[in-house]
Amino acid sequence: MRQERLYRTEAIVLRQRDYGEADRILTLLTPKGKLSALAPGVRRPTSRKAGHLGLFCRTQLLLARGRNMDIVTQAESIEEFEGIRGDLLRYGYACYAGELVERFAQEEDDNGALLNLLTFGLRWFAEEQDLLLGMCYFQLCLLSYSGYQPQLFSCVVCRSKIQPTTNFFSADLCGLLCGGCGPRDAQTKAVSVNAQKVLRYLQTHDASDVRALRISRGTKREIESLLHHYLEYVLERELKSVVFLRRLRKELRAAEGSSND
């Protein structure tokens, strides 16, 4: 069946790159997959589309199928996540979420669940106070949707039930190892009892329950480090936005004498 040249889709702008004198190439996450599209003339001061195609903007698009790249002909904002725009730390978390989703998303693949997850994540980073908790929850959800959910309830080697003591995490084996199996593998990371409890809670509860959690910064940082390690193992690359986010948090703490997450 012949495809229609024009089609509509919801999308979130994951990345943008200037092209030519006034155009921009956008990387978009849509319900039907990740795609690149050309936004002609969007950098001109008179462009009507410019305000609807900002980074991380959730937008309704009309696209024309092109030979090498689809072309944005109309754009109308659905949600702009305003809290991200004026706060550098919130923006840093949004960049990290966007990079993760871009790495996991595939072209011409059903990405409806991934689009919904990114929408949730951007809302959290725009509105909520505990940004680090939201990121930990977002990462675990992303791993689950992508088929890499870690095993947190039984040892991935001997299958015994995980006991409330220091255990070990293996990125290679995708889960926790008990105290008997973990020390045999030099690549495992020790995980405290509190971090294990929180990881299991995040993995088995919805966002409304997670919002009510009150967790020490040390435990959140431990979980963050473990999930960063696991995600970089799965993706087989360093995540650039992680470096930016860590440097930004360090600079903000030094400037404000506070405990920014």
Side-chain angles (χ1 to χ4, degrees), residues 150-152 167-177 182 187-191 199 226-227 229-230:
Q151 171 55 256
L152 302 173
N167 292 292
F168 300 82
F169 185 84
S170 168
D172 184 39
L173 298 176
C174 308
L176 289 174
L177 283 72
Q187 301 302 313
T188 60
K189 290 181 173 291
V191 188
L199 280 165
L226 184 151
L227 292 175
H229 168 70
Y230 185 37

Side-chain angles (χ1 to χ4, degrees), residues 217-240:
R217 190 161 63 96
T219 298
K220 285 185 289 186
R221 287 291 175 85
E222 181 183 357
I223 293 170
E224 177 192 42
S225 177
L226 184 151
L227 292 175
H228 282 170
H229 168 70
Y230 185 37
L231 284 160
E232 290 189 345
Y233 177 87
V234 169
L235 294 169
E236 299 182 338
R237 68 181 68 198
E238 184 181 40
L239 295 161
K240 295 179 181 178

